[in-house]
């Protein structure tokens, strides 16, 4: 009976030691440190690609507006002129977008300027940081 109690006592205390658990946690931390930056850089690239695609679609809608009316919307009318007829615009043939003008991938409205600084009209996003200029994810993305 004594040897049976000894075996039961050993079974209750079997498991991982603190050192083994720490080794596993260090390995998991190293893997996360290696994989996470690569994953999040891909997410940033997809947001930039999405912004570029949306800007291209907005630019095509603006071109259609110009074909119908003979001019681009003013800066004051903005991109809203693609969905709602501006006052005193008799040749407006819109809406030029199926849905409302989307926000950029970072949740901020696209900027519109007519006349543009880079082309006849500028459609752009200020990137992740929402400020002019910048680099990386914070760089401006536009139709220029």
């Amino acid at each position: 009976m004594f040897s049976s109690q000894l075996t039961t006592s050993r079974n209750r205390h079997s498991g991982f030691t603190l050192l083994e658990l720490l080794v596993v946690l260090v390995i998991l931390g190293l893997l996360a440190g290696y994989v996470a930056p690569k994953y999040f850089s891909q997410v940033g690239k997809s947001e930039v690609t999405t912004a570029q695609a949306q800007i291209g679609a907005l630019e095509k809608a603006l071109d259609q507006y110009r074909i119908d009316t003979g001019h681009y919307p003013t800066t004051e009318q903005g991109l809203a002129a693609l969905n709602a007829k501006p006052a005193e615009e008799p040749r407006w043939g819109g809406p030029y977008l199926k849905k409302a003008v989307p926000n950029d991938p970072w949740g901020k409205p696209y900027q519109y300027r007519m006349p543009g600084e880079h082309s006849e009209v500028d459609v752009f996003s200020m990137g992740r940081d929402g400020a002019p200029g910048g680099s990386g994810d914070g760089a401006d993305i536009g139709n220029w």
Side-chain angles (χ1 to χ4, degrees), residues 1-11:
M1 189 148 149
F2 179 70
S3 71
S4 155
Q5 287 177 344
L6 185 62
T7 306
T8 306
S9 175
R10 282 187 188 156
N11 287 342

Side-chain angles (χ1 to χ4, degrees), residues 16-31:
F16 298 108
T17 65
L18 181 59
L19 181 60
E20 290 169 328
L21 288 173
L22 288 174
V23 168
V24 168
L25 288 174
V26 167
I27 290 171
L28 288 174
L30 290 172
L31 284 173

Side-chain angles (χ1 to χ4, degrees), residues 18-99:
L18 181 59
L19 181 60
E20 290 169 328
L21 288 173
L22 288 174
V23 168
V24 168
L25 288 174
V26 167
I27 290 171
L28 288 174
L30 290 172
L31 284 173
Y34 178 74
V35 172
K38 292 186 182 244
Y39 171 75
F40 287 115
S41 72
Q42 294 302 318
V43 170
K45 287 179 186 175
S46 69
E47 289 171 335
V48 169
T49 303
T50 300
Q52 290 169 335
Q54 288 176 333
I55 288 170
L58 291 171
E59 193 173 25
K60 287 177 183 165
L62 286 164
D63 287 341
Q64 186 62 46
Y65 180 100
R66 183 180 59 89
I67 289 169
D68 288 351
T69 64
H71 57 84
Y72 287 109
T74 64
T75 301
E76 292 76 27
Q77 292 170 330
L79 296 172
L82 298 174
N83 284 330
K85 181 180 179 188
E88 301 178 22
E89 189 57 67
R91 298 187 304 173
W92 188 81
Y96 299 97
L97 296 172
K98 291 181 180 179
K99 298 178 181 178

